[in-house]
Amino acid sequence: MLTTLFLGQELFRFGQTVITTGSVAAALVALLVTGVLILAMRRSIRRYRRGRGQQYRSTLYTVQRIGTYTLLALGFFVAISLLGVPISRLAVVAGALGIGLGFGLQTIFSNFISGLILLFDKSLKVGDFVELESGVTGEVRDIKIRSTTIVTNDNIDILVPNSEFVEGRVVNWTYREVSRRMRIPFGVAYGTDKEVVKEAALKAAGEVPFTLALEGARRPQVWLSEFGDSSLNFELVVWLNAEATKRPAAVKAAYNWALHTALAERELEIPFPQRDLNVRSFFGLAEDDALEALNLERPEETGTGTTGPPASAASEDPPANDAIEDVRSEAGDLPAFESE
């Protein structure tokens, strides 16, 4: 009897609608059940995803997001109905919401719709590696109601409004396939045999584990790209595997390391710009007399004609390539996506 009186106690009126303690309790229970269903759905999706790798990551993320939004909407309408508010009365709320969107909420609404477009359009998925117009690169970690989270290779989280991906220009490095081509420029001294340079560069490509293939259409290539002021400029052109596509800076450093080692093994010079100053006379003195007046000695003739410091010879046990370890540590088991 006391319970009935408590649940039937009137709290306030909204027009002809009476809000009682019981209706409020029922609405809270409906919202609680909605929260439990959302948590159960997320756990089920994570359990299903576990052991299946990254193949279904973006699809399951989309299912989770859409399911969360749907359950929240259903729970909201059920709670409103249990409160005793007729659904038809929500037309007034919708009208007020429309005015609010017109004055100050259009940006939030635009980002929400843009987020739904990204989830359904599949042009941008969780796990994609993208480059923004500002030049920022990173992996898509989360697509939320208002913004998308981009995680850079330096583990910096960047929150980008969803509308920027729909309205702006975004480079998706992994949209069609995960393999991509990289060009690593390097230079050698004039007079160096091109075939020896090519042999050294191809060996360097073979030493780096991120090279997609050593034979076939996507094999490494060596291009003579430019005749520089003090060097012959080459490019090592390699196709990268999926492990390395999302780590461009570290991968380029890995190839540079291997290139330096391969060039040093063949005693090939890596030149640098320099200028020679020739003094024809010193107060009327020349050659040995000028050197004697300056208390200098004539340098010994080496006959090498070097234009820069030669690359050091490779040791028997070369140091580890830190860039390779950096890529492999980041390309390991990616954490499962988390949602609020």
Side-chain angles (χ1 to χ4, degrees):
M1 185 65 178
L2 293 176
T3 304
T4 304
L5 291 176
F6 175 75
L7 295 177
Q9 184 178 359
E10 180 180 338
L11 296 178
F12 57 89
R13 287 178 176 270
F14 180 72
Q16 297 180 353
T17 303
V18 179
I19 306 299
T20 63
T21 307
S23 61
V24 173
L28 292 176
V29 171
L31 294 177
L32 179 61
V33 171
T34 301
V36 172
L37 290 177
I38 291 175
L39 290 177
M41 178 196 65
R42 290 177 176 177
R43 290 179 180 177
S44 299
I45 291 177
R46 291 195 187 102
R47 192 180 302 112
Y48 178 81
R49 179 181 177 273
R50 195 173 298 131
R52 288 176 171 80
Q54 304 299 317
Q55 182 179 2
Y56 302 103
R57 184 186 183 190
S58 61
T59 302
L60 293 177
Y61 180 86
T62 302
V63 171
Q64 174 182 305
R65 275 297 180 189
I66 299 302
T68 300
Y69 296 155
T70 303
L71 289 176
L72 284 175
L74 292 176
F76 172 76
F77 284 114
V78 170
I80 291 296
S81 299
L82 292 176
L83 279 175
V85 179
I87 301 298
S88 59
R89 296 288 182 88
L90 294 179
V92 179
V93 179
L97 181 61
I99 297 176
L101 291 174
F103 281 99
L105 300 179
Q106 65 268 32
T107 302
I108 297 177
F109 185 73
S110 174
N111 288 326
F112 174 72
I113 297 301
S114 298
L116 294 179
I117 292 175
L118 293 177
L119 290 174
F120 284 106
D121 186 53
K122 295 293 186 181
S123 58
L124 187 72
K125 307 180 294 296
V126 172
D128 282 349
F129 192 80
V130 298
E131 179 180 352
L132 305 180
E133 285 188 282
S134 60
V136 174
T137 59
E139 181 182 356
V140 177
R141 187 60 55 87
D142 204 359
I143 303 176
K144 297 182 179 179
I145 293 178
R146 189 193 68 84
S147 62
T148 295
T149 303
I150 303 295
V151 182
T152 68
N153 288 334
D154 295 327
N155 200 29
I156 299 175
D157 295 333
I158 300 177
L159 302 180
V160 183
N162 293 328
S163 58
E164 183 172 334
F165 291 99
V166 176
E167 301 172 359
R169 181 184 65 84
V170 180
V171 179
N172 191 338
W173 288 15
T174 55
Y175 176 68
R176 184 168 48 88
E177 61 173 314
V178 295
S179 298
R180 62 182 297 265
R181 191 167 69 173
M182 176 177 284
R183 301 180 183 183
I184 299 92
F186 66 98
V188 297
Y190 275 101
T192 305
D193 190 342
K194 300 187 299 296
E195 297 300 328
V196 178
V197 175
K198 181 177 181 179
E199 178 186 350
L202 292 179
K203 180 182 179 182
E207 294 293 333
V208 179
F210 310 130
T211 304
L212 182 64
L214 298 179
E215 302 292 340
R218 293 189 172 184
R219 67 186 184 277
Q221 296 178 328
V222 181
W223 297 351
L224 177 57
S225 58
E226 185 183 17
F227 295 96
D229 293 337
S230 58
S231 65
L232 290 172
N233 296 329
F234 290 83
E235 285 185 348
L236 174 60
V237 183
V238 291
W239 283 90
L240 306 179
N241 55 25
E243 181 184 13
T245 300
K246 298 180 180 181
R247 305 283 298 174
V251 169
K252 186 175 182 180
Y255 280 103
N256 283 331
W257 186 284
L259 274 171
H260 185 272
T261 301
L263 294 175
E265 289 177 351
R266 290 160 177 77
E267 298 183 353
L268 300 181
E269 290 183 26
I270 302 177
F272 62 93
Q274 63 179 357
R275 296 291 183 268
D276 293 332
L277 178 62
N278 297 320
V279 180
R280 301 181 62 88
S281 65
F282 179 75
F283 292 109
L285 302 177
E287 298 184 356
D288 293 338
D289 295 334
L291 292 175
E292 183 178 356
L294 292 173
N295 294 324
L296 297 177
E297 296 181 358
R298 180 182 293 275
E300 296 182 0
E301 297 292 337
T302 59
T304 57
T306 59
T307 59
S312 59
S315 60
E316 296 181 358
D317 187 13
N321 194 333
D322 294 336
I324 294 178
E325 299 299 328
D326 181 78
V327 176
R328 283 180 167 171
S329 64
E330 291 292 335
D333 295 331
L334 293 175
F337 56 83
E338 297 291 339
S339 301
E340 297 178 354

